[in-house]
């Protein structure tokens, strides 16, 4: 069947020579003047047509010179790399104000920018709250922002501004073309011409003078700061041992492991010290504390509502936890797929059961004998049922909370349809809902696709999936699956209906499930070394209000103002909590709620009450802003929406930077070792033998490169490559393209990675 087009990642092309154009490009134009010989490590390169900036410069017939070098995300590193090459380096500020919009301000690297005067120069209100914003809105990573990034602003939301001193200079401008391992040198006039050609004619700002040095700091400047706490010497925080196994009773026991240094230890600390998980007495069985179960409730609320709406109209039900051995073993492929995972009950008290009873690993074999009783005519179709329950799978030795647990919560949907087409429509409709859960609820980007024959659901016809990427570990993870089961289970369990012509026919069935694994994915994608970072739509508490009290201003003096703030939030349907505990300081509470990942903190003190304002602090980036209480509900709602977009953009940029195309085996394992998801031309999703060979060979080569004889069996992931899916959004596959492994004619692009 044709692949459905679903939104997914943008892919770069990787081969032995680095990034290359997808097709031959016209000869590039170089800067006419002979440049000084570049220093060691810097080379002049032919322009890369895969880079849209360089391609546009060629199209506009703009003279330029392109240098390749190591990635230099800061101006100081760029200056050190380029040495004495002629030209002016730039400082690029991507700034946003809620009302005024987004601005890209470019000045000479050594130019001081007075942020107080900048709004006036930009022609916006002098009290505008300009702050640095995520560069992913321009499709670049931090360190690669430049005027050329305006080419990616197709909606025209960014205003570009250039320093007049830079524009009027006789020296070329040296800046990045969307990536920090390239520098393009072009005249100021040509940079302006480029911006005009991409509909971003720049504002020219006159900062006055030519001094590049910032003004000297005012004497005693620290004394003017509002918080006296900053004037006191800060005591070093006590080092504590990581207690991943049992967590910590006090959430102020800071996280010791770092996300980049020891990802597994960091993850264990985050989920325990944020009070999400408690380890149970049985290995692999975990207690979901209210903080994590509250997240699950929000996921459940959203998905449960969606599946009940038209046109799906799924109904909830509940089936027993146990399944007989005979029913489980009736479908050979199915039981073979789940046999190692099944937990069996063999006794009732001291009495042996006549036949062992299985605890459900999934419910096909429990539900479908009943379907055979209920479905008699095509008029009984479609049947669409879902249950929210737990399942047990026992096969693994080294469980991981949320990701691989012996008992976990999920929803499992089971439907029966009259035609294959109707079943497929159901499968893809559910897959789209799973994409929405991850992207619209959890702010996690996913890649929808279809599993290969080797990776599909045991006993089914085909399996679709949404795949996520964990930047901290460089691993992929299956987010949720939606299966077309075909007619196989109907044949086994004698499910048949009388068709429109009176002939008996077997229905086409689907099953689909989303688990509490989604919580673990969310934690790993968004959280940081300080603790949990929760997307606003699933945070059990979206806003915490912290009163600033003292002996001269007790809580009772602020109570009426706090009640007013709380009322504004409640009226806007915002989940909020007032932390009015008298036994902890405001600073302790700040750390407590930041470690638990609450999206927004509202600080309320006597000066705030007098001004009828509150201080709002964002967990995701620490940005502070004062907001009036009047209309606070709508302002906070907008702030929460913006936080979601920032989190999604950040996660998308991290994921997209690690999705690459590879067309030859020689580049495949190196890309895996670079923590990439690898898109390759593939001979056939049904070629299980070749797929197994790729897994084994990639494991062997990885072990050899690492100097290891074997993998550590305790690891949660393997060094072997695994097919993740055949993405539904397929890049063009030119005729004659060969499979990267077998050399046979390629039929599709297949996504590989190391996966949980």
């Amino acid at each position: 069947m044709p692949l459905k087009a679903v939104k997914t990642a943008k892919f770069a092309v990787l081969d032995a020579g680095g990034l290359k154009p997808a097709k031959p490009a016209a000869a590039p134009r170089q800067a006419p003047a002979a440049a000084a010989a570049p220093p060691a490590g810097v080379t002049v390169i032919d322009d890369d047509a895969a880079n849209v900036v360089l391609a546009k410069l060629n199209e506009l017939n703009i003279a330029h010179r392109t240098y390749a070098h190591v990635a230099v995300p800061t101006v100081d590193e760029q200056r050190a790399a380029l040495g004495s090459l002629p030209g002016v380096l730039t400082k690029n500020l991507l700034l946003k104000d809620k009302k005024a919009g987004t601005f890209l301000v470019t000045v000479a690297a050594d130019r001081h920018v007075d942020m107080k005067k900048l709004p006036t120069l930009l022609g916006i209100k002098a009290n505008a709250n300009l702050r640095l914003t995520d560069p992913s809105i321009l499709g670049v990573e931090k360190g690669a922002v430049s005027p050329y990034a305006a080419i990616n602003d197709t909606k025209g939301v960014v205003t570009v501004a250039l320093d007049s001193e830079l524009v009027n200079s006789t020296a070329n401008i040296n800046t990045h073309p969307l990536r920090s391992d390239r520098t393009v040198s072009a005249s100021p006039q040509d940079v302006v011409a480029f911006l005009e050609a991409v509909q971003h004619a720049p504002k020219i700002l006159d900062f006055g003078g030519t001094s590049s040095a910032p003004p000297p700091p005012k004497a005693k400047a620290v004394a003017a700061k509002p918080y006296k706490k900053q004037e006191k010497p800060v005591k070093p925080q006590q080092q504590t041992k990581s207690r991943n196994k049992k967590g910590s009773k006090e959430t102020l026991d800071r996280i010791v492991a770092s996300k980049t240094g020891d990802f597994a230890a960091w993850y264990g600390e985050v989920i325990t010290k944020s009070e999400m998980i408690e380890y149970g007495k049985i290995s692999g069985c975990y207690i979901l504390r209210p903080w994590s179960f509250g997240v699950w409730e929000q996921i459940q609320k959203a998905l449960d509502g969606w599946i009940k709406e038209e046109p799906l109209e799924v109904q909830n039900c509940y089936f027993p936890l146990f399944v007989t051995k005979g029913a489980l073993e009736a479908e050979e492929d199915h039981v073979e797929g789940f046999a190692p995972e099944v937990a069996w009950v063999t006794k009732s008290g001291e009495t042996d059961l006549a036949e062992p009873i299985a605890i459900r690993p999934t419910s096909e074999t429990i539900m479908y004998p009943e379907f055979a009783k209920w479905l008699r005519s095509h008029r009984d179709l479609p049947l669409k049922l879902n249950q929210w329950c737990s399942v047990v799978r026992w096969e693994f030795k080294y469980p991981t909370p949320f990701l691989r647990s012996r008992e976990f919560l999920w929803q499992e949907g089971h439907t029966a349809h009259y035609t294959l087409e109707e079943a497929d429509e159901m499968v893809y409709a559910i897959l789209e809902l799973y994409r929405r859960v991850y992207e619209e609820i959890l702010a996690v980007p996913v890649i929808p696709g279809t599993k290969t024959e080797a990776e599909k659901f045991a006993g089914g016809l085909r399996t679709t999936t949404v795949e996520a990427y964990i930047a901290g570990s460089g691993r992929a993870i299956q987010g949720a699956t939606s299966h077309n089961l075909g007619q196989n289970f109907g044949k086994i369990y004698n499910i048949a209906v009388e068709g429109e012509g009176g002939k008996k026919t077997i229905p086409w069935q689907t099953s689909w499930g989303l688990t509490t694994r989604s919580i673990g994915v969310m934690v790993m994608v968004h959280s940081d070394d300080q603790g949990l970072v929760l997307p606003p739509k699933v945070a059990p508490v979206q806003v915490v209000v912290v009163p600033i009290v003292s002996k001269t201003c007790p809580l009772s003096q602020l109570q009426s103002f706090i009640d007013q703030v709380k009322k504004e939030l409640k009226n806007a349907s915002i989940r909020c909590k007032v932390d009015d505990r008298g036994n902890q300081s405001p600073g302790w509470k700040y750390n407590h709620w930041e470690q638990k990942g609450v999206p927004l903190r509202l600080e309320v003190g006597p000066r705030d009450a007098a001004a009828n304002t509150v201080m709002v602090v964002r967990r995701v980036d620490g940005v502070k802003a004062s907001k009036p209480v009047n209309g606070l509900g709508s302002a906070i709602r907008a702030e929460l929406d913006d936080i979601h977009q920032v989190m999604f953009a950040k996660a998308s940029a991290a994921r997209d930077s690690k999705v690459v195309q590879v067309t030859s085996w020689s580049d495949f394992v190196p890309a895996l070792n670079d923590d990439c998801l690898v898109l390759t031309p593939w001979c056939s999703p049904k070629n299980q033998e070749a797929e197994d060979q790729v897994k084994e060979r990639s494991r062997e080569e990885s072990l050899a490169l690492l100097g290891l004889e074997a993998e550590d069996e305790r690891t949660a992931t393997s060094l072997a490559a695994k097919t993740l899916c055949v993405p539904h959004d397929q890049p063009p596959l030119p005729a004659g393209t060969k499979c990267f492994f077998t050399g046979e004619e390629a039929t599709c692009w297949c996504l590989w990675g190391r996966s949980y």
Side-chain angles (χ1 to χ4, degrees), residues 691-726:
E691 189 172 335
D692 289 341
Q693 290 174 0
V694 170
K695 291 180 181 178
E696 188 56 35
R697 185 171 168 185
S698 63
R699 178 189 289 108
E700 291 174 355
E701 290 193 12
S702 297
L703 289 171
L705 288 171
L706 295 171
L708 301 174
E709 293 183 0
E711 292 187 80
D712 187 339
E713 65 173 356
R714 295 169 298 176
T715 184
T717 59
S718 171
L719 290 172
K722 176 183 177 182
T723 56
L724 306 176
C725 65
V726 176

Side-chain angles (χ1 to χ4, degrees), residues 28-41:
R29 293 177 53 87
Q30 299 294 345

Side-chain angles (χ1 to χ4, degrees), residues 237-244 247-248 250-260 262-275 523 527-533 591-592 594-597 619:
Q237 201 163 11
Q238 184 179 358
Q239 295 291 326
T240 59
K241 293 184 179 180
S242 174
R243 288 182 280 176
N244 299 320
S248 169
E250 297 293 332
T251 54
L252 279 181
D253 181 6
R254 72 179 184 86
I255 293 169
V256 177
S258 72
K259 189 173 185 178
T260 55
D262 188 342
F263 186 83
W266 166 84
Y267 175 70
E269 289 193 85
V270 169
I271 60 176
T272 52
K273 294 180 179 179
S274 63
E275 300 176 335
V523 172
S527 300
D528 57 26
D529 287 351
Q530 193 172 350
L532 199 61
V533 179
N591 292 333
H592 175 85
E594 285 174 357
Q595 197 167 65
K596 290 175 74 69
R619 171 64 178 91

Side-chain angles (χ1 to χ4, degrees), residues 282-299:
I282 298 174
S283 174
C285 297
Y286 307 99
I287 299 165
L288 271 62
R289 300 184 66 178
W291 201 243
S292 62
F293 197 83
V295 172
W296 181 240
E297 285 180 315
Q298 297 304 321
I299 296 172

Side-chain angles (χ1 to χ4, degrees), residues 734-747:
T737 301
K738 302 299 182 183
C739 172
F740 86 111
F741 184 72
T742 66
E744 300 172 7
E745 192 81 9
T747 63

Side-chain angles (χ1 to χ4, degrees), residues 212-244:
S212 62
K218 295 180 181 179
K220 305 293 184 181
V222 69
K225 293 184 179 180
Y227 300 104
K228 293 182 179 180
K229 180 180 178 181
Q230 297 179 1
E231 299 174 16
K232 299 177 181 179
V234 180
K235 295 181 179 180
Q237 201 163 11
Q238 184 179 358
Q239 295 291 326
T240 59
K241 293 184 179 180
S242 174
R243 288 182 280 176
N244 299 320

